[in-house]
Amino acid sequence: MRVEPKVPHRALAAIRAPLQAAGAEAVDAPILQPLNLLLDLAGEAMRARLFVVQAEGGAEACLRPDFTVAIARHHIESGRTAGRYAYEGAAFRASPHTERAEEFVQLGLELFAPAGGATAASDAEIAALAWRAAEAGGRDDLSLWLGDVGLFAPFIESLALPDALAARLTRVAGRPRLLQAELARGGLPVSAEGGQLAAMLAGLSPGEGARLLEEVWALAGVQPVGGRSPAEIAQRLVRKGEAASAPALTPAQAEAIHAFMAISDAPAEGLAKVAALAGRKAPALTAALKAWDARLGALAAAVPQTAMRFAPALGHAFDYYDGLTFEIRSDALGTERPVAVGGRYDGLLARLGGQTAGRAVGCMVRPWRAFAGGEA
């Protein structure tokens, strides 16, 4: 395993200082994390990037690829509705086709608050903290790229699409291959080839669909293999059938979504493009754009306007982000090696078994990348 070099003590202290000053509780996370949980959040393709371990007869685990999920689980287990947690330690990701370090240091901060609280202010606070930490490493070629996973749904709402099509597009928004396939159908006639089994399953509850599949397997003498349950397979078949038979986008609608996904501009100009591409007046989109005005106003005190870019389609490897996303990039390192990343992930708390809804936003900084004498 390739191990990242250590950052000199003085430089690391400077990078760490903005996060330490944020009034957060220092916490650690188990180095072993449940594999299935992380694959549920990132998709099976992520397996190749993980170091998987398994004790004899035990469940598969992996060396922690980052801290966010582990810190969120810690917060849920604490029973608190609000919390600030700072972390620092080694993370692990396999990189078989490059010479990149596979064990590296991450430091970061995760902020949790009760549901209903203002999000724009905490979004701006976290992004500004990440910027100050990255900037403290001494690089002079940094830029802050801002995105918003949550902006896609209200934009789609403004286009007045059929409900089934709007739901389908929103569901695949974070999966580029599936979204591109949907956009490629724009202007084509609707297919009726959803499949008879998918059509039968579509009218059943998840439990009834799973029992029907099990009965078909038993009659055919089929013994299923792999990790997916009958309910998951039934759901996938139904979605495949829905995708084949759902109404298609018009060419104009497909073009508007293409243009939305391609936006990459200064924040004010990028947000103006979103508004110009929208269809009918949608209150949710108006509110989302207004929240962006508040974020940018708060960020202006910490980040130079010329250093900020807005790309609404900006996403990360894990699909639990559901609002603001951001990356701090170095020109020298390029788009594939961000110095810091972060974003909002309110929905993750419920996915991890949290009993009450809440707000969650956080950031992670790679000190070796932030350090001017570090990764090149």
Side-chain angles (χ1 to χ4, degrees):
M1 182 185 296
R2 295 182 294 276
V3 180
E4 187 177 73
K6 291 185 177 181
V7 177
H9 176 74
R10 182 174 295 181
L12 181 59
I15 296 166
R16 186 191 292 132
L19 302 182
Q20 283 186 327
E25 172 190 347
V27 295
D28 198 3
I31 200 166
L32 288 180
Q33 293 292 312
L35 177 66
N36 286 342
L37 173 61
L38 295 178
L39 293 181
D40 285 344
L41 296 171
E44 189 65 31
M46 188 66 180
R47 181 186 288 268
R49 300 291 314 281
L50 302 176
F51 287 99
V52 178
V53 296
Q54 184 178 24
E56 186 174 352
E60 286 185 306
C62 64
L63 300 183
R64 63 187 178 210
D66 74 356
F67 284 76
T68 299
V69 173
I71 301 301
R73 294 173 69 199
H74 169 84
H75 173 69
I76 291 169
E77 291 165 4
S78 76
R80 290 182 283 184
T81 58
R84 286 172 174 253
Y85 308 97
Y87 63 84
E88 180 175 337
F92 307 83
R93 292 198 191 184
S95 187
H97 305 300
T98 73
E99 294 302 313
R100 295 179 192 172
E102 296 174 309
E103 177 184 336
F104 46 85
V105 171
Q106 291 185 343
L107 54 87
L109 188 144
E110 309 293 336
L111 189 157
F112 301 91
T119 61
S122 52
D123 286 352
E125 178 191 1
I126 289 295
L129 286 171
W131 175 265
R132 293 187 181 110
E135 193 177 37
R139 291 190 183 272
D140 60 3
D141 63 347
L142 299 179
S143 56
L144 173 61
W145 286 72
L146 300 161
D148 190 349
V149 176
L151 195 57
F152 187 80
F155 176 76
I156 291 297
E157 180 186 339
S158 79
L159 300 180
L161 305 176
D163 290 345
L165 179 56
R168 166 71 180 167
L169 288 167
T170 302
R171 192 162 55 237
V172 303
R175 305 168 75 179
R177 183 179 61 81
L178 295 179
L179 180 59
Q180 290 303 317
E182 196 65 47
L183 295 179
R185 293 178 61 225
L188 297 178
V190 176
S191 169
E193 298 180 359
Q196 292 185 351
L197 180 57
M200 293 173 62
L201 293 170
L204 304 177
S205 70
E208 291 170 333
R211 287 191 290 273
L212 176 60
L213 270 186
E214 289 173 328
E215 184 177 341
V216 170
W217 289 339
L219 289 171
V222 173
Q223 182 65 40
V225 296
R228 296 195 181 276
S229 69
E232 290 173 317
I233 295 172
Q235 187 178 47
R236 286 173 66 89
L237 283 171
V238 169
R239 288 182 177 176
K240 185 175 181 180
E242 289 175 346
S245 60
L249 294 162
T250 67
Q253 290 166 342
E255 180 56 35
I257 298 171
H258 267 299
F260 173 90
M261 300 298 288
I263 290 173
S264 176
D265 212 327
E269 287 77 3
L271 291 165
K273 288 179 179 179
V274 172
L277 288 167
R280 66 183 181 185
K281 185 174 178 62
L285 183 60
T286 300
L289 294 177
K290 186 176 181 180
W292 266 105
D293 289 338
R295 284 188 194 96
L296 295 174
L299 276 171
V303 185
Q305 292 286 329
T306 55
M308 288 193 281
R309 300 284 294 181
F310 178 72
L314 180 71
H316 302 321
F318 290 97
D319 74 352
Y320 48 68
Y321 290 97
D322 49 23
L324 166 81
T325 56
F326 67 84
E327 292 183 359
I328 297 173
R329 298 175 180 175
S330 159
D331 290 344
L333 300 181
T335 61
E336 298 299 315
R337 293 182 290 165
V339 172
V341 301
R344 177 159 293 281
Y345 52 94
D346 297 344
L348 178 62
L349 299 178
R351 292 173 70 178
L352 293 177
Q355 297 303 304
T356 58
R359 303 291 193 185
V361 62
C363 66
M364 177 281 296
V365 182
R366 293 278 298 268
W368 182 244
R369 291 180 177 174
F371 177 43
E375 190 167 334

